[in-house]
Amino acid sequence: MTAAAFVAGAALGWIGVGLSFAACVAGDGWKIGPICWLGTLTASAIVLVLLASYAPRIATRAVLPLCVAAAVICLGLI
Amino acid sequence: MKDGFRQSMAWLHTWSGLLVCWILFLVFSAGTASYFRNEITLWMKPELHRAAAGPVTQADAAAHAMRTLQERGAHAPRWFITLPDERSPATRIRWTNPTPPGEARGARARPNSEMLDPATGDVLSAARETRGGEFFYRLHFDLHYMPALWARWIIGFCAMFMLVAIISGIITHKRIFKDFFTFRPRKGQRSWLDAHNATAVLALPYHLMITYTGLVTLMFMYMPWGAQVAYNGDRETFFAEAFPNTAQKSRAAGETAPLTAITPLLQQASLHWQGGRAALITVNHPGDKNATISIVRAGGRDLTHARPSMLFNGVSGALISTAGDDIKAASETRGVLYGLHIAHFAGPLLRMLFFLSGLAGCAMVATGALLWAVKERQKHAKALAQGGRAGFGLRLVEGLNIGAIAGLPIAFATYFWANRLLPVQLEQRPEIEIRCFFIAWAVAALLAQLRPTRRMWQLQLWTGAALFAGIPLLNVATTHSHLGVTLLHGEGPWAVAGFDLIVLALGAGLGYAAWTLGRNRRPARRTQKGVAPNDIPDQPVREAA
């Protein structure tokens, strides 16, 4: 992976994290939203770790569709 | 300091964690189960499942409950009505019988309590007696078989150690960002460290929050001095300001007067709270001229634990006072911290996320405890390979690990089995269910101390798996609201179906752990017997709850 691709990927990732925060706040309000956001991040990180360790093939293949689906859900909520 | 800062923190982390990890595992497991304490209680009273299916408006439920109380508790000095909600579908009424003349005043008031069908107000008399999820909730800070006050000091001590372990753990973890998503399975000690790191770091906001707010819930007990100084020891004023409510001491006039209708009061309260719902209705001196009715709001979409309340005249229905609408900053801070701990504000999805983070907490404590044993064994690997015996400390820790991590799930499952299998009319049924929990746990812990071996791990994990996975089957045999009805026919309360599915998943998780343990065993057999450092299961007992 080139440095440029790495930077681009990281930037997209951080935008995604920001987007999910916006979606949670839009969905649940400022009080509950941030808590829901942290919980969702924890749950998805655990799923990611398990997938990457036990089914790395599925993990790499599922990344793109999942990202698109998540972005659509986030934008829909906002 | 001889060692570096990080080394000393690592030492602190190891010992503060190890010393209290088994109690912490109990607290985490029971606390995690408490997120669903209403659902567990409902599941443990199958007689209520039918009533749970149909929705009823609160006003109707309240009016029915008032009518029933007029009949059953006409002379009681006080009535309590807990209104139904999505999580506990039956109305609960409580009243105390007046002290008969001749008995000393202040003798123990005898409380009565009934569950009502919210749609009709009929008493659901057949519901079996059980502590239900309330037992786990109490267990996680009051323990059992000891005075609650001691237990709370013990739990507070352990929670403080937990906080120390979390903070020293963060400092010790050098590659916290680099290893964020790292988990390398099937690598022995390395995998245990990874699993410990992953479960700790990924749910770190939760772990920090739950430990700190756990201490906050009992802070007036652990650190009363601030309040004592600020209020000059005037506890009553302090508590009145810290926990605002409309409770007031009033005396009965002795003249009878009919009670006002409850429905308009509920409407007025709902308007005042901008649509907030009522949760608890208290009627003081019903049927007397001085009757009052207080309504406490349900926890809504607010984080805080504090609930505002309103007080009405019980005869005219006029509003007397409101409390808790405008809370001071310090009280609000504590209310929010308390509220975060018990998560009453959480809807089904968020509740599930809290539950998942709680399981991660269980796994963090479990993997930490196992990691210590694995490392210790590694140190003595040579001596052990030559047929030497494990030292006393190692044997003790390994026995405690099995007894806690594999034994506790057995105890939890036994509690649920006892609920279904004990005769419904048994005397002291709730206490016997609890005794089953502790007997099962004591047997598991004792066997673990006698033979802390890999076979014992397998045996107990399989037992836990079979018991947990068997619960839905047991339900088919003993109730009419099993998965076939709740899930396939779409009838019956969702909470019951959810319970069955979660225990099934927990059973599968335990079974997977036991299976992995057996699979790894075969190649290791050639080298040595017993627990070898490199062939402990890769998958931590993640699902142990």
Side-chain angles (χ1 to χ4, degrees):
Chain A
M1 193 159 46
T2 63
F6 182 80
V7 170
L12 272 179
W14 281 109
I15 290 171
V17 171
L19 205 61
S20 66
F21 182 74
C24 282
V25 170
D28 277 345
W30 279 106
K31 287 173 183 168
I32 315 275
I35 301 172
C36 199
W37 178 66
L38 285 174
T40 318
L41 282 188
T42 296
S44 39
I46 290 173
V47 170
L48 178 67
V49 166
L50 288 178
L51 266 183
S53 319
Y54 289 99
R57 275 240 182 117
I58 299 178
T60 42
R61 271 187 216 156
V63 158
L64 204 64
L66 279 180
C67 282
V68 174
V72 169
I73 294 172
C74 286
L75 288 173
L77 273 173
I78 296 167
Chain B
M1 211 174 354
K2 210 172 81 187
D3 300 323
F5 179 57
R6 208 160 237 154
Q7 274 82 15
S8 63
M9 280 296 133
W11 180 89
L12 185 63
H13 180 73
T14 305
W15 293 105
S16 64
L18 185 74
L19 205 62
V20 296
C21 64
W22 304 287
I23 294 182
L24 284 178
F25 189 75
L26 172 71
V27 173
F28 257 98
S29 309
T32 303
S34 303
Y35 284 127
F36 291 113
R37 76 172 141 144
N38 293 8
E39 286 79 1
I40 292 175
T41 307
L42 176 66
W43 185 89
M44 292 178 78
K45 295 188 173 200
E47 295 83 2
L48 301 185
H49 292 179
R50 201 163 290 251
V56 190
T57 66
Q58 273 204 314
D60 284 347
H64 289 312
M66 292 289 263
R67 207 191 55 224
T68 309
L69 276 165
Q70 304 262 14
E71 294 162 11
R72 307 276 308 252
H75 301 291
R78 194 168 287 174
W79 297 344
F80 300 96
I81 303 170
T82 311
L83 293 171
D85 57 30
E86 308 88 36
R87 297 187 55 220
S88 44
T91 314
R92 185 184 162 85
I93 55 171
R94 283 174 297 146
W95 71 96
T96 43
N97 281 344
T99 331
E103 267 185 46
R105 271 187 70 89
R108 249 180 98 84
R110 276 161 299 174
N112 294 289
S113 145
E114 290 288 0
M115 306 293 272
L116 302 183
D117 185 336
T120 60
D122 294 338
V123 174
L124 295 163
S125 51
R128 65 188 66 186
E129 284 186 32
T130 174
R131 289 289 303 282
E134 200 64 22
F135 165 61
F136 297 136
Y137 174 68
R138 285 281 155 186
L139 180 68
H140 102 280
F141 61 93
D142 276 355
L143 302 175
H144 207 77
Y145 297 128
M146 68 160 72
L149 206 64
W150 293 12
R152 289 179 189 192
W153 278 110
I154 295 173
I155 298 296
F157 180 81
C158 294
M160 200 65 223
F161 267 61
M162 175 84 188
L163 201 58
V164 169
I166 290 180
I167 291 169
S168 57
I170 296 171
I171 298 169
T172 311
H173 192 7
K174 241 182 287 183
R175 297 157 56 87
I176 193 162
F177 292 108
K178 266 191 179 156
D179 281 355
F180 209 83
F181 296 108
T182 308
F183 177 58
R184 287 154 286 191
R186 292 181 259 286
K187 297 261 190 318
Q189 187 184 331
R190 182 79 246 174
S191 304
W192 286 109
L193 183 60
D194 282 347
H196 186 58
N197 287 342
T199 48
V201 172
L202 294 181
L204 188 60
Y206 173 82
H207 299 323
L208 269 174
M209 178 280 283
I210 210 72
T211 311
Y212 183 73
T213 55
L215 284 164
V216 166
T217 56
L218 294 175
M219 69 185 200
F220 295 133
M221 187 186 134
Y222 298 139
M223 303 184 101
W225 311 291
Q228 273 168 10
V229 170
Y231 286 80
N232 285 324
D234 182 0
R235 281 174 66 86
E236 292 212 354
T237 312
F238 164 63
F239 278 109
E241 283 186 23
F243 310 104
N245 63 58
T246 48
Q248 58 172 43
K249 285 181 185 139
S250 62
R251 286 184 159 256
E255 289 175 52
T256 53
L259 267 180
T260 180
I262 189 75
T263 315
L265 305 188
L266 284 172
Q267 279 168 353
Q268 195 181 338
S270 174
L271 218 66
H272 179 74
W273 293 322
Q274 282 125 29
R277 290 187 338 180
L280 176 72
I281 300 172
T282 311
V283 184
N284 288 308
H285 311 301
D288 189 89
K289 215 180 84 185
N290 281 356
T292 55
I293 299 178
S294 116
I295 301 179
V296 179
R297 205 196 67 184
R301 300 294 280 165
D302 272 332
L303 296 182
T304 180
H305 167 64
R307 310 278 184 82
S309 59
M310 295 173 86
L311 186 69
F312 297 92
N313 184 312
V315 178
S316 67
L319 178 66
I320 299 173
S321 64
T322 61
D325 289 327
D326 169 37
I327 297 174
K328 288 182 187 159
S331 235
E332 178 74 358
T333 307
R334 180 180 178 277
V336 167
L337 290 175
Y338 201 135
L340 275 173
H341 192 85
I342 55 178
H344 274 173
F345 54 81
L349 173 71
L350 193 52
R351 192 164 289 276
M352 206 58 218
L353 291 175
F354 266 97
F355 182 74
L356 201 73
S357 300
L359 286 186
C362 297
M364 168 181 72
V365 176
T367 49
L370 285 165
L371 187 57
W372 188 89
V374 171
K375 268 188 180 167
E376 191 65 19
R377 207 161 247 284
Q378 197 92 296
K379 274 189 214 158
H380 307 293
K382 225 172 224 169
L384 288 170
Q386 284 160 1
R389 267 174 72 89
F392 170 74
L394 182 58
R395 257 184 85 88
L396 179 72
V397 167
E398 282 181 343
L400 284 170
N401 280 351
I402 300 175
I405 298 164
L408 202 54
I410 298 179
F412 272 76
T414 308
Y415 182 63
F416 297 133
W417 277 75
N419 174 262
R420 287 292 192 262
L421 293 183
L422 291 174
V424 173
Q425 299 303 337
L426 195 66
E427 287 272 309
Q428 290 186 320
R429 199 169 190 284
E431 192 45 48
I432 293 174
E433 279 178 7
I434 291 171
R435 212 171 291 160
C436 288
F437 176 94
F438 284 107
I439 289 172
W441 196 19
V443 169
L446 202 68
L447 286 177
Q449 281 304 330
L450 292 178
R451 290 194 67 81
T453 58
R454 167 179 283 268
R455 281 208 82 86
M456 184 55 73
W457 270 111
Q458 260 182 302
L459 177 74
Q460 296 208 3
L461 285 173
W462 276 125
T463 312
L467 285 174
F468 261 112
I471 287 174
L473 292 177
L474 176 69
N475 230 1
V476 174
T478 54
T479 71
H480 297 293
S481 47
H482 47 85
L483 279 177
V485 177
T486 49
L487 208 62
L488 292 183
H489 289 220
E491 292 168 22
W494 273 106
V496 176
F499 181 99
D500 280 346
L501 290 175
I502 288 180
V503 291
L504 199 61
L506 291 174
L510 289 171
Y512 179 71
W515 178 74
T516 322
L517 199 59
R519 195 185 49 173
N520 286 5
R521 184 192 159 97
R522 258 164 261 134
R525 206 178 233 169
R526 268 171 281 134
T527 51
Q528 65 182 86
K529 261 181 118 179
V531 186
N534 286 319
D535 58 6
I536 282 175
D538 316 307
Q539 176 68 3
V541 193
R542 193 175 294 270
E543 285 83 4

